[in-house]
Amino acid sequence: SSHLGSSHFGSSHFCTSLSSPRCGPRFAEAMPFVKFEHIAREWRLKWSADADNASLMLAQAQLEEVLADVSSIEGVASVQRVVCGGCQDFKVVTKLPEKAFKDWEARSFEPEVAFLEAVRKIPGIIAVETQTYTLEEVKLNKKDIKKAQDKKEKEQGEGETQKDEKPPV
């Protein structure tokens, strides 16, 4: 099963594959205002600070074992690692264009199984899970920032004009 372990990350509604009604194309059809071109697969776990963060170091070593394979997936846009020392999260997020993602999904997200099996064996690792979701860069460029600011100023100006007008008698 793609939903692995117990949830220490909040929601128990996981997008485990594109066929899930909460993910990918079905989600996009239900919510057309959420535009996307990329889909990401996240592998995540909780590590223990015991033994000078030994489980974190071993999780990192396991990532390094599969990193060349993950990085060479056809069409991969990015591979990111997230580590939070406060909540002891370790996450690997692999982002691909939708078509490339579907191809990777058809291959069972190789090398996911090997990575997840390896980290599950590390003492101090818990809550090993996966999730699929859309992932888009939404930062505006300078030209679009200016357009958005101008639009906002215009809307605020129109709102003030309407407030100053007296209602018809």
Side-chain angles (χ1 to χ4, degrees), residues 25-113:
R26 286 190 186 169
F27 176 76
E29 288 167 15
M31 305 202 151
F33 54 89
V34 179
K35 299 195 180 338
F36 69 93
E37 295 177 12
H38 296 90
I39 301 174
R41 181 69 168 182
E42 179 179 290
W43 306 334
R44 64 178 171 229
L45 56 89
K46 294 282 191 180
W47 51 273
S48 167
D50 295 348
D52 290 327
N53 304 319
S55 61
L56 172 60
M57 289 185 278
L58 291 170
Q60 175 64 33
Q62 287 303 317
L63 172 59
E64 290 169 9
E65 285 287 319
V66 299
L67 192 54
D69 293 335
V70 175
S71 298
S72 62
I73 294 165
E74 186 66 34
V76 73
S78 67
V79 180
Q80 298 174 311
R81 189 214 53 230
V82 178
V83 175
C84 176
C87 53
Q88 297 171 313
D89 288 341
F90 181 94
K91 303 177 183 185
V92 179
V93 181
T94 305
K95 174 181 166 181
L96 299 94
E98 187 175 3
K99 181 182 180 329
F101 185 90
K102 288 177 182 177
D103 294 343
W104 187 38
E105 181 180 37
R107 294 189 311 277
S108 302
F109 304 111
E110 190 60 36
E112 178 175 286
V113 171

Side-chain angles (χ1 to χ4, degrees), residues 76-163:
V76 73
S78 67
V79 180
Q80 298 174 311
R81 189 214 53 230
V82 178
V83 175
C84 176
C87 53
Q88 297 171 313
D89 288 341
F90 181 94
K91 303 177 183 185
V92 179
V93 181
T94 305
K95 174 181 166 181
L96 299 94
E98 187 175 3
K99 181 182 180 329
F101 185 90
K102 288 177 182 177
D103 294 343
W104 187 38
E105 181 180 37
R107 294 189 311 277
S108 302
F109 304 111
E110 190 60 36
E112 178 175 286
V113 171
F115 175 78
L116 298 178
E117 285 177 358
V119 295
R120 271 195 208 97
K121 293 175 184 173
I122 299 171
I125 298 288
I126 61 168
V128 178
E129 301 174 335
T130 66
Q131 186 175 358
T132 296
Y133 45 76
T134 67
L135 183 61
E136 290 303 322
E137 182 68 38
V138 295
K139 179 180 179 268
L140 297 176
N141 61 36
K142 287 184 179 183
K143 181 178 164 187
D144 290 336
I145 292 169
K146 178 80 172 115
K147 277 201 279 188
Q149 290 170 335
D150 290 348
K151 179 181 176 190
K152 189 174 181 179
E153 286 174 18
K154 182 180 178 201
E155 288 170 354
Q156 287 174 341
E158 288 172 1
E160 289 171 11
T161 304
Q162 289 171 358
K163 285 182 205 167

